[in-house]
Amino acid sequence: MSAALFSDEDYMAAAIAFARRGLGETAPNPAVGCLIVKDGVIVGRGATQKGGRPHAETVAIADAGAAARGATLYVTLEPCSHHGVTGPCANAIVDAGVARVVSAVEDPDPRVAGRGHEILRKAGIEVRVGVLSKDASRANLGHILRVTRGRPMVTLKLAETADGFAASANPHDPRLMITGQIANNRVQVMRAMHDAIMIGIGTALGDDPLLTVRMPGLEQRAPLRVVLDSDLRLPARSRLVATAKEKPLLVIAGVGASPDKRASLEAQGVHVEFVARGADGHVDLTQALQALGARGITRVFSEGGPHVAGALIGQGLADEIVLIRGEKPFGRAGLPALSEAARQQLDNPTRFSRVSESRAGADRLIRYERVS
């Protein structure tokens, strides 16, 4: 097959798709994809492995073996240039005899920040940077935000009825089942692609969720479960606390919350961390996200209720929003999925871009991205 049949963009798109398989499993490192191509044939491929090591480039080089010499290497993020658990990937590429490197985006990590590309150029390797940079930046957004702002990226998932409600206005009514099984399966996959699943205490009290990945084939995925609980109201008998010794659970409380309640939760295997409170008395969301970033979390899937959703949108902390709209209206007074102010911001093209709309069975799945 002739090399001319496929462009750098084609190979990079394949590398990005390959990298996405690792989302949710590589923290604190980014999920990177790498392909090695020689004479139009993919001779090596690699993705960042579970836990972040080994890196994609070294996996692909090992896969290619001697065929890497004289080949072109496609990588979704600049090869590292610093010594960590293993040596720099840039040096490994030089040692493998690769002739050309196509890199999607420069790594903003100050330990790299262009030095990986510089090592390659100094070794006489042809380097092209910026191929499908927007797509690669989107896939690496969690890593980029963690090293530039100290916080992970946040995907906000919302479900609403056709007339915009998330729940009944009566707290004693049973939980409102808004979406169908196909949409619910999509949510399970999205959970698996994140390092943490986050809710507010209102959702924890109202729904008593487990926040686990329950789709066949993905059960081994165990994102950190996070509850924003300013005053440590999470009941000891909740399903989250009851399973804390089996599945990790972090409760983020506001400074000044009861130390006795903290001790009680920790005795049951719950991790508790205190952060500053905002002007409204609730946990400061930026501080909470930075606490997660300090733990190595790069991607957070927020399934909190309307209060958390509105705060994330209002404070510019929701980087991607997945709005799942059911086919049926609630038909009576209920709890709005979003406040009017939050919905206005979502519809403001200077704040959010509506990037796609698709069907998940009978439900509509609408995706927004924060405008940088």
Side-chain angles (χ1 to χ4, degrees), residues 183-264:
N184 294 343
N185 288 344
R186 292 281 293 273
V187 171
Q188 293 296 315
V189 172
M190 285 186 275
R191 283 183 175 184
M193 296 174 71
H194 290 75
D195 309 323
I197 304 170
M198 183 176 75
I199 60 171
I201 184 60
T203 298
L205 294 174
D207 296 346
D208 192 22
L210 273 174
L211 301 183
T212 54
V213 178
R214 298 185 298 277
M215 192 168 188
L218 295 176
E219 301 94 339
Q220 79 282 4
R221 300 283 183 111
L224 176 66
R225 302 176 301 168
V226 180
V227 181
L228 303 174
D229 184 8
S230 302
D231 298 306
L232 292 179
R233 293 189 290 147
L234 186 65
R237 294 185 178 181
S238 67
R239 296 201 296 169
L240 286 167
V241 174
T243 56
K245 293 181 179 179
E246 305 162 16
K247 303 283 186 180
L249 174 64
L250 172 66
V251 172
I252 300 180
V255 170
S258 167
D260 291 338
K261 290 181 179 179
R262 175 182 186 173
S264 176

Side-chain angles (χ1 to χ4, degrees), residues 284-300:
D284 183 284
L285 281 176
T286 298
Q287 294 285 318
L289 291 174
Q290 288 177 343
L292 292 175
R295 288 173 173 263
I297 299 297
T298 63
R299 292 171 55 82
V300 172

Side-chain angles (χ1 to χ4, degrees), residues 102-116:
V102 180
S103 173
V105 64
E106 183 176 293
D107 190 343
D109 188 327
R111 297 172 299 175
V112 186
R115 283 186 284 273

Side-chain angles (χ1 to χ4, degrees), residues 11 15 18 33-38 41-47 56-65 67-68 71-74:
Y11 287 119
F18 196 51
C34 180
L35 299 179
I36 299 177
V37 179
K38 191 171 188 178
V41 177
I42 296 174
V43 296
R45 64 178 188 170
E57 298 95 322
T58 56
V59 175
I61 289 169
D63 188 39
T72 296
L73 183 146
Y74 295 86

Side-chain angles (χ1 to χ4, degrees), residues 158-165 177-180 183 323-330 359-360 362-365:
L158 288 165
E160 67 175 7
T161 60
D163 47 0
F165 296 110
M177 305 304 292
I178 297 173
T179 56
L323 178 61
I324 306 176
R325 185 169 294 151
E327 64 171 337
K328 297 179 181 179
F330 188 48
R359 284 282 182 181
D363 305 313
R364 293 168 60 199
L365 195 152

